[in-house]
Amino acid sequence: MTILISAVGNTDPISKNRDSALMHIARKYKPERIVLLYSEEMLVKKTLIERALLSFKDYKPDVKIHEQILRNDEVYLYDKMYEIIEKIIKEYSKLGEELILNLSSGTPQIKSALFAINRIDDYNTQAIQVTTPSNSSNNPQKILSKEEEDNLFKNNEDNQDNYENRCIMDIAEKFNHSLIKRHLRSLIESYDYLAVEKIVIRRDSKGLLSNKQLARLRIILTDLVNVFKKQEVLSEIQKYPLSEVEKKALNYFLMIEILNKRGQVADVLIKSKSLVEFILEDRIKRNHPNLITYKNKLPKLNKEHQDFEKVIGYLDSDYKKAQNENEGKKEDFSPTTTLNLIIYTKILEYYKYSPELIKSLRVIISLNNERNKVAHGLSEIDSKLVNTKKLQQTIDTLRFILQDTFEIDDSYFSCYQALNNEMLDLLRQ
């Protein structure tokens, strides 16, 4: 059974020679039962309302007046109306029937209560608004004489087969869905993809979006989460016409950029060095084939390379310069040393790479002590040495090193923002 629950308003049942909201919803949806909520003031319309609702051709609803009459001094109190109307709706919801709520009759407080209940609570309801014929506000209608009542029905322009349908279904999501979507958008804007994924994979998330939209949102989130969980290359980046090394380096840089936006300073410090080492190792391997060899998967200088002695000589000289003058005999640089950020930089210095690149590498090296204390000593980060400005300089430097080494177009750096925008657009629907 379909039940229409409606307050009775000033303009019901007919106004300006057209159906008012109660009458129009009944005409359009033909509910089997109509439950009327009267205020003390509106009780004078009881006979007229019943006459109107029983005047349809080939449709005779079961019209009931709810036993609770709304007090005149309460119909303008939102909290009171919400409390009373929610109780009434719960009462009929227990019957398992489909409910239609009239959002256009009664005081603003009654309408607002019905509107909120429809959105917040998970009842089996449809909420309907009805536009006025002039699409403007109605004025209160005076009490009619018997002759005026007869003329009211006689002149009703909606009382015909091809009447204009002015019903508008309230198709907006339930209010709790609206709040969840707002929360999800906030999490996305904070790049907290794991938190978003945990919410949208739940069973009760199905009502948030259409199946197709929800599936797309989940695909994007799974992809993003796997970047941070497993260091997988983002699917969007996999589509770019780049080498596998370039894709991996770009993916890692963008991950660091997001970590910086999240405020995960320790991760930025630790991963920045790893990224630069990865980039420089690849650069040296490409520009100076076979200079790097591997022992137990660790990069070393290849003794068989033609430049080995010259490179070792340069490294040894620089190594000794860095040692304290008062230490007496200085140690030699070991040819079996595992290569790292500082050594890679010295190798590039030996080969006279651009001053801009060397200067950028020194920015990353300047954070090395702080990075090592965080990574190996579990030390607190010194905010004077590593502040917001320094972190942004680090990100800018990483990008320069990346683009100085690989031909990566600027447009490729916006893939996270593009995915964020797509998810935000989905959650605004």
Side-chain angles (χ1 to χ4, degrees):
M1 178 186 292
T2 302
I3 301 174
L4 168 61
I5 298 178
S6 174
V8 175
N10 279 325
T11 60
D12 290 317
I14 300 169
S15 176
K16 300 178 182 177
N17 296 331
R18 303 289 292 275
D19 290 341
S20 288
L22 169 59
M23 188 80 166
H24 203 65
I25 294 172
R27 185 185 302 279
K28 169 63 181 175
Y29 291 92
K30 296 182 171 54
E32 295 156 272
R33 177 176 296 172
I34 299 176
V35 177
L36 300 174
L37 308 181
Y38 276 98
S39 65
E40 293 169 330
E41 182 183 9
M42 291 296 112
L43 278 174
V44 294
K45 288 190 171 189
K46 178 181 173 183
T47 302
L48 174 62
I49 294 292
E50 185 171 343
R51 178 183 173 188
L53 293 175
L54 296 176
S55 69
F56 297 110
K57 181 181 178 182
D58 301 326
Y59 165 56
K60 294 292 183 281
D62 176 20
V63 180
K64 301 288 186 183
I65 298 175
H66 194 271
E67 60 186 11
Q68 183 165 4
I69 305 302
L70 307 176
R71 287 169 43 181
N72 288 342
D73 60 354
E74 291 182 340
V75 292
Y76 295 100
L77 302 176
Y78 173 79
D79 287 345
K80 189 64 179 179
M81 290 302 96
Y82 189 100
E83 176 188 340
I84 292 172
I85 293 170
E86 184 181 39
K87 185 177 179 182
I88 293 169
I89 292 174
K90 280 184 177 178
E91 174 188 334
Y92 284 96
S93 291
K94 289 177 182 177
L95 303 175
E97 310 293 1
E98 180 183 354
L99 306 182
I100 299 175
L101 307 181
N102 175 7
L103 301 184
S104 296
S105 291
T107 63
Q109 290 74 16
I110 292 174
K111 297 173 188 177
S112 296
L114 284 161
F115 180 81
I117 291 166
N118 176 59
R119 293 186 170 212
I120 295 172
D121 295 309
D122 193 20
Y123 298 124
N124 182 23
T125 62
Q126 296 181 72
I128 309 298
Q129 292 177 303
V130 179
T131 62
T132 61
S134 60
N135 291 312
S136 60
S137 299
N138 287 309
N139 295 316
Q141 180 180 300
K142 65 177 184 178
I143 301 302
L144 304 179
S145 66
K146 181 65 170 64
E147 183 180 356
E148 286 173 325
E149 282 186 12
D150 291 340
N151 288 331
L152 195 68
F153 289 101
K154 179 180 177 182
N155 298 324
N156 183 5
E157 296 175 16
D158 284 329
N159 191 23
Q160 54 184 320
D161 292 336
N162 60 342
Y163 67 92
E164 176 193 357
N165 177 19
R166 292 180 279 113
C167 293
I168 302 174
M169 185 180 296
D170 177 30
I171 59 174
E173 68 273 5
K174 299 291 184 184
F175 188 59
N176 58 338
H177 283 175
S178 179
L179 290 178
I180 291 171
K181 285 183 176 182
R182 180 179 296 179
H183 178 55
L184 290 175
R185 292 196 298 270
S186 177
L187 290 173
I188 289 169
E189 288 168 347
S190 301
Y191 307 97
D192 195 346
Y193 302 122
L194 182 58
V196 179
E197 186 192 42
K198 285 181 178 179
I199 294 172
V200 302
I201 61 174
R202 295 189 326 216
R203 275 184 164 184
D204 58 2
S205 69
K206 287 189 175 180
L208 289 173
L209 300 167
S210 70
N211 291 340
K212 184 178 180 181
Q213 291 168 332
L214 189 59
R216 174 58 182 160
L217 182 61
R218 287 172 173 172
I219 287 171
I220 296 173
L221 286 167
T222 299
D223 194 21
L224 290 168
V225 167
N226 284 340
V227 171
F228 294 91
K229 272 187 176 180
K230 308 175 185 178
Q231 291 187 187
E232 289 185 4
V233 176
L234 194 68
S235 296
E236 198 66 24
I237 293 175
Q238 290 284 21
K239 300 174 186 176
Y240 296 156
L242 302 172
S243 70
E244 291 306 309
V245 170
E246 289 170 333
K247 290 175 183 177
K248 188 177 289 189
L250 174 61
N251 188 72
Y252 206 79
F253 166 78
L254 292 174
M255 178 174 63
I256 295 171
E257 189 176 41
I258 296 300
L259 291 172
N260 184 49
K261 290 177 179 178
R262 287 182 184 173
Q264 294 176 235
V265 179
D267 285 329
V268 172
L269 292 177
I270 292 168
K271 293 182 184 299
S272 292
K273 180 183 178 185
S274 300
L275 174 60
V276 175
E277 287 180 337
F278 176 82
I279 293 171
L280 296 185
E281 183 177 328
D282 181 78
R283 185 165 190 163
I284 292 170
K285 284 163 62 177
R286 285 187 290 109
N287 294 348
H288 310 281
N290 302 318
L291 180 60
I292 297 176
T293 188
Y294 295 89
K295 186 173 183 180
N296 297 326
K297 297 184 179 180
L298 298 175
K300 312 280 185 178
L301 282 173
N302 182 7
K303 294 180 180 180
E304 305 300 323
H305 193 274
Q306 60 183 5
D307 293 338
F308 175 77
E309 295 296 339
K310 293 177 182 177
V311 172
I312 284 293
Y314 182 83
L315 293 173
D316 183 66
S317 174
D318 188 81
Y319 182 64
K320 287 176 179 175
K321 284 180 185 177
Q323 294 178 45
N324 194 307
E325 293 289 340
N326 300 322
E327 285 182 356
K329 187 178 179 181
K330 298 179 179 179
E331 296 181 9
D332 295 329
F333 179 83
S334 173
T336 61
T337 301
T338 298
L339 306 183
N340 57 30
L341 171 60
I342 295 173
I343 298 173
Y344 286 138
T345 302
K346 296 300 177 183
I347 292 172
L348 296 184
E349 282 182 2
Y350 168 77
Y351 283 111
K352 301 188 185 310
Y353 278 69
S354 72
E356 292 81 8
L357 175 60
I358 302 302
K359 182 179 178 181
S360 296
L361 293 172
R362 286 175 181 157
V363 170
I364 305 302
I365 291 171
S366 70
L367 295 170
N368 204 42
N369 287 339
E370 200 66 22
R371 180 261 182 203
N372 289 338
K373 285 194 291 183
V374 171
H376 306 301
L378 305 182
S379 300
E380 181 181 346
I381 295 169
D382 188 339
S383 58
K384 293 180 180 178
L385 294 175
V386 186
N387 51 32
T388 302
K389 183 178 179 180
K390 187 68 173 179
L391 287 168
Q392 188 55 54
Q393 182 189 22
T394 302
I395 296 299
D396 294 341
T397 301
L398 291 176
R399 178 162 174 169
F400 172 79
I401 295 168
L402 181 64
Q403 290 188 289
D404 188 71
T405 303
F406 304 117
E407 292 185 7
I408 298 179
D409 190 80
D410 287 342
S411 62
Y412 294 162
F413 290 84
S414 61
C415 60
Y416 271 89
Q417 194 55 55
L419 290 172
N420 270 23
N421 291 342
E422 183 179 352
M423 290 190 290
L424 292 172
D425 287 343
L426 286 171
L427 289 166
R428 288 188 184 102
Q429 298 180 34

